[in-house]
Amino acid sequence: MKLKIYKTYILKSYLYYFLIVSLIFTLLSFFLNILEEIVFLEKYNVGVFYPIVLTFLNTPSILFEIFPFIFLISSQLFFIRFQENDELNLLKLTGIDNFSLIRFLIYLTLLMGLLLTIIFYTFSANLKYNYLSIKNKFTNDNKYLAAINNNGLWIKDEYEGSIYVINADEFIKNKLKKVTINKLDNEFNLESIIISEEANIERKEWELKKVKIFFVNGKKENLESLNINTNFNRKKLNSIFSNLNSLNLLQLINLSEDYKKLGLSSVEIKSHIYKLYSFPIFIAIMATIGSILILNLTNKKSKFFNLSIGILSSVVIYYINYFFNLLGTTEKTSIVLSICSPLIVLILFCFILLVRINEK
């Protein structure tokens, strides 16, 4: 019965610090982001409504990215409080040593990480999608659309009074394969249909090969090559699908399958999916590191010093993750290895420091 009471007390104490730290980071993210939105929208004279709405929609996505560091700092504050109130020694008298306490927090943070991945990420992804949809209305790109589905790559483009509706079966490196281009006027009246075996889209002036042109008056023309000007090139087309935070897990899996069918590289999508899969483990590791740091530092150190060590550790871990992720997305190593390697390094670090944790 006593153990259940103490576990409830530990749970409430940890959640209290987690909510406090989350609130602080939410407010910081909100104010930093709203300044960015105000600068972006100042030339459109839309008042304060749109910056506030856009910030509300974007803040959950930002918060999800920094949750690992929120857990680290929450764990530090939790153990600082228990040290200052001499509650660690009190817990030891009831049979809960340092290792048991950390183990309980690991189980707790694993569960919280799972809930955040399933529920909070889905919620933030939906808001991020709406954020991008609204913001797109204020850019020049709102009339240039691209999408991928079971029928291949689709592009809607407007260039010098003409509207192009483009479909391609494959997108490999800088080339589109089996391209069909419907050319329409401003009133959406069909002018011609252009069919090409291949289009080089490295530049915005596409180079079409083995071209057949069908005109609305019934005429037909065959060409070995044809150049057309568009607003798209390889770089821009790839960037359109780069914001993966606006897609939930199921949408990411479906998009990965669509990329395979089209011949596109799905490395970045897989990397993002695997990071979501490993998110609860990463959360638990960060909470463990925060706990270990405080327990291994002397009580004589100030709160500021202890938290500074935690923040410094967060920065180091961020760059370790970034380095391994870069290796994966550039295909220098496998995606699974790029995601698992930093986790394994951090787990080994935790095990080394946990060996004598009960003596602290």
Side-chain angles (χ1 to χ4, degrees):
M1 183 67 182
K2 287 183 178 180
L3 287 178
K4 289 184 179 179
I5 293 173
Y6 278 112
K7 284 183 178 180
T8 302
Y9 176 69
I10 292 167
L11 174 64
K12 289 181 178 179
S13 299
Y14 189 82
L15 290 178
Y16 169 77
Y17 284 108
F18 172 74
L19 292 174
I20 291 296
V21 177
S22 296
L23 179 60
I24 292 171
F25 275 95
T26 300
L27 293 174
L28 286 173
S29 301
F30 183 88
F31 286 115
L32 290 174
N33 192 78
I34 198 170
L35 292 175
E36 181 182 333
E37 302 302 341
I38 289 172
V39 171
F40 174 79
L41 294 168
E42 63 180 352
K43 61 183 177 182
Y44 297 103
N45 193 27
V46 293
V48 297
F49 174 75
Y50 275 103
I52 292 174
V53 170
L54 288 173
T55 302
F56 269 117
L57 293 175
N58 194 39
T59 298
S61 181
I62 298 172
L63 191 64
F64 186 84
E65 294 294 320
I66 57 179
F67 265 138
F69 311 112
I70 290 175
F71 274 88
L72 187 146
I73 295 173
S74 300
S75 298
Q76 285 188 292
L77 292 173
F78 172 82
F79 273 94
I80 287 172
R81 178 254 180 101
F82 270 53
Q83 278 186 339
E84 289 179 342
N85 295 341
D86 205 28
E87 291 177 283
L88 291 177
N89 291 328
L90 182 61
L91 287 173
K92 287 177 182 178
L93 294 175
T94 63
I96 303 176
D97 55 25
N98 291 340
F99 182 78
S100 299
L101 181 55
I102 292 176
R103 184 175 58 191
F104 177 75
L105 291 183
I106 289 173
Y107 295 150
L108 173 62
T109 51
L110 277 171
L111 178 60
M112 292 174 68
L114 188 62
L115 293 174
L116 288 172
T117 305
I118 296 173
I119 300 173
F120 188 86
Y121 178 77
T122 302
F123 169 73
S124 69
N126 290 335
L127 294 184
K128 185 75 171 185
Y129 177 82
N130 292 324
Y131 166 81
L132 294 173
S133 298
I134 295 173
K135 199 165 184 177
N136 187 53
K137 296 176 182 179
F138 296 98
T139 67
N140 293 326
D141 290 339
N142 63 337
K143 58 183 179 181
Y144 314 135
L145 306 175
I148 292 175
N149 57 32
N150 291 330
N151 296 318
L153 173 68
W154 289 89
I155 301 171
K156 173 184 173 289
D157 189 17
E158 297 181 26
Y159 192 89
E160 294 184 350
S162 295
I163 300 172
Y164 297 103
V165 179
I166 305 166
N167 174 238
D169 286 354
E170 293 181 285
F171 179 18
I172 302 175
K173 293 184 178 179
N174 63 332
K175 292 181 180 179
L176 298 179
K177 303 289 186 178
K178 296 183 180 180
V179 184
T180 301
I181 303 173
N182 296 281
K183 185 178 180 182
L184 303 91
D185 60 23
N186 284 329
E187 302 297 325
F188 290 91
N189 297 311
L190 182 65
E191 293 183 347
S192 63
I193 299 174
I194 303 170
I195 299 175
S196 172
E197 289 294 318
E198 178 183 286
N200 187 319
I201 63 167
E202 185 64 31
R203 300 179 298 156
K204 290 185 178 180
E205 184 181 17
W206 292 10
E207 300 174 6
L208 308 180
K209 302 293 184 182
K210 296 182 180 179
V211 181
K212 296 179 181 179
I213 306 176
F214 300 89
F215 297 95
V216 290
N217 59 11
K219 291 184 179 180
K220 177 183 175 182
E221 188 175 352
N222 294 324
L223 301 172
E224 281 298 315
S225 64
L226 175 69
N227 290 358
I228 64 169
N229 293 306
T230 72
N231 292 291
F232 285 91
N233 56 12
R234 176 189 57 81
K235 184 177 180 181
K236 181 173 182 177
L237 197 56
N238 281 327
S239 68
I240 288 177
F241 307 107
S242 63
N243 202 315
L244 302 176
N245 289 323
S246 62
L247 302 175
N248 61 43
L249 190 55
L250 182 60
Q251 290 170 327
L252 286 167
I253 294 171
N254 291 335
L255 183 63
S256 180
E257 292 300 317
D258 290 338
Y259 267 48
K260 286 181 183 178
K261 293 174 184 176
L262 193 56
L264 283 164
S265 172
S266 59
V267 169
E268 288 190 19
I269 302 173
K270 286 181 179 178
S271 177
H272 192 74
I273 291 172
Y274 291 155
K275 277 194 280 188
L276 290 176
Y277 288 158
S278 63
F279 185 77
I281 298 173
F282 188 36
I283 288 292
I285 291 171
M286 295 297 281
T288 305
I289 291 173
S291 305
I292 291 172
L293 287 174
I294 298 302
L295 289 173
N296 280 276
L297 294 172
T298 63
N299 292 334
K300 295 179 182 179
K301 302 294 183 182
S302 66
K303 286 184 181 179
F304 177 78
F305 176 82
N306 292 334
L307 292 174
S308 296
I309 294 296
I311 293 170
L312 180 61
S313 301
S314 299
V315 173
V316 173
I317 292 169
Y318 171 82
Y319 280 107
I320 290 174
N321 268 329
Y322 178 80
F323 172 74
F324 279 99
N325 184 60
L326 198 61
L327 291 178
T329 53
T330 56
E331 300 186 67
K332 301 295 183 183
T333 185
S334 70
I335 292 296
V336 174
L337 187 62
S338 70
I339 299 298
C340 292
S341 294
L343 295 180
I344 293 171
V345 170
L346 294 173
I347 289 172
L348 290 175
F349 172 78
C350 291
F351 274 128
I352 291 170
L353 294 180
L354 281 171
V355 172
R356 301 178 65 183
I357 201 68
N358 284 333
E359 298 176 13
K360 304 299 180 180

